[in-house]
Amino acid sequence: MRMQSKGMFTGMLLSLLLSGAALAQGGPRSAFGPGEQARYRIQYLGVTAGSAQVTVGAPMKQWGKDVWPIVSLARSEAIAGVWPVKDKYVSYWDFGTQRVLGSDMHEDQNNKRRRVRVKLAEDGKSAQVVKQKEGETPRESTHELSEGTLDVAGATFALRNRALEVGQEYAYPVFTGSRTFLMKAKVEARETLDTVLGKQDVFRMRVYTEFSGKLASKRDMVAWFTADARRLPVRIEAELTLGSIVAELTEYQQGKIMASVMTTAQNGT
């Protein structure tokens, strides 16, 4: 298995495990906050192939704005056929306006390193992208975006701030750093799921993406989010070109509960 995340493997499977912008119609309380940490086991064709960890970091400044860094880390196991993977993806979440300001991706796969930085314009309608392979000159490009565009991590966390209902479909424009597509998620059912943390009341969701290459889906992905206030992704199944992948939550630490984020921002206090 040539386990190439291209930054999206981390962002897609774990921050989609399945985890926003003006599209995030959140309630008075955020479903997540600084200090939250979730760890997942990733299986490929039934064999544990690696792990991923998603952390909501402490508030910080980025490009002059107050943000929460959503940090996704992916690591492969030392098993036959799997490239050594050590990827880090940081999405900068502006909790006041509920939008993503940009991201940094540090990719280390098969001892080849690459960095990608994405910075959205103030109006969110364009993005400046800088890509650099180790030992090479950086390449810069500018991409036009539709209003409310997120990255994968931002779209997933924005989804967590929605009041999920069976039968409802949610859609977010997503920019991968190279192209834009519409990520759709439909809540199919409410059910009980056995997890390592015990039985969980969950929403089962079918997720449509437009990833290409080895991350292209042969069928829609299926994800399970807890039906409580956390709306925490606990499992995701994907049938990709590179094979069947399952990610399961193995550890969880709740972060600070942040109240009235949007109200505070709107009142200017």
Side-chain angles (χ1 to χ4, degrees), residues 88-241:
K88 179 179 180 179
Y89 186 87
V90 184
S91 182
Y92 300 106
W93 173 265
D94 184 335
F95 53 91
T97 60
Q98 298 285 283
R99 62 184 288 251
V100 168
L101 300 185
S103 62
D104 278 309
M105 187 270 287
H106 301 269
E107 184 181 271
D108 185 342
Q109 298 178 7
N110 201 28
N111 299 315
K112 295 180 181 179
R113 297 173 180 84
R114 186 175 73 120
R115 179 176 178 177
V116 178
R117 164 163 282 191
V118 177
K119 181 182 178 183
L120 271 66
E122 285 285 342
D123 60 8
K125 296 181 179 180
S126 66
Q128 181 183 33
V129 179
V130 180
K131 299 182 180 181
Q132 183 178 21
K133 293 182 180 180
E134 188 174 38
E136 297 184 8
T137 302
R139 293 180 293 113
E140 298 186 18
S141 59
T142 300
H143 302 256
E144 298 300 317
L145 305 176
S146 59
E147 187 174 357
T149 296
L150 313 171
D151 57 16
V152 178
T156 304
F157 275 82
L159 185 60
R160 291 181 62 187
N161 270 345
R162 301 297 292 265
L164 302 179
E165 297 181 17
V166 175
Q168 290 295 310
E169 184 175 282
Y170 309 87
Y172 298 91
V174 168
F175 179 57
T176 67
S178 300
R179 58 188 295 266
T180 303
F181 69 86
L182 190 66
M183 188 180 90
K184 300 177 184 178
K186 182 175 182 178
V187 183
E188 293 187 320
R190 185 165 179 165
E191 56 194 28
T192 300
L193 183 70
D194 286 321
T195 75
V196 296
L197 303 182
K199 291 184 180 296
Q200 299 286 325
D201 184 20
V202 297
F203 288 111
R204 187 183 75 235
M205 308 184 70
R206 189 163 298 275
V207 182
Y208 170 77
T209 65
E210 292 181 7
F211 290 109
S212 58
K214 294 182 182 298
L215 292 181
S217 298
K218 291 185 176 180
R219 59 180 176 83
D220 293 342
M221 288 183 285
V222 181
W224 287 261
F225 285 68
T226 60
D228 56 19
R230 300 171 302 171
R231 290 181 284 280
L232 177 70
V234 292
R235 181 181 174 90
I236 184 171
E237 297 178 357
E239 187 69 34
L240 309 178
T241 300

Side-chain angles (χ1 to χ4, degrees), residues 1-37:
M1 168 189 173
R2 303 179 77 184
M3 201 170 182
Q4 295 180 306
S5 67
K6 298 300 183 187
M8 294 185 294
F9 182 79
T10 314
M12 177 184 69
L13 285 181
L14 276 311
S15 275
L16 180 90
L17 255 151
L18 257 131
S19 294
L23 289 175
Q25 306 284 326
R29 302 177 75 87
S30 177
F32 56 91
E36 182 183 79
Q37 187 171 97

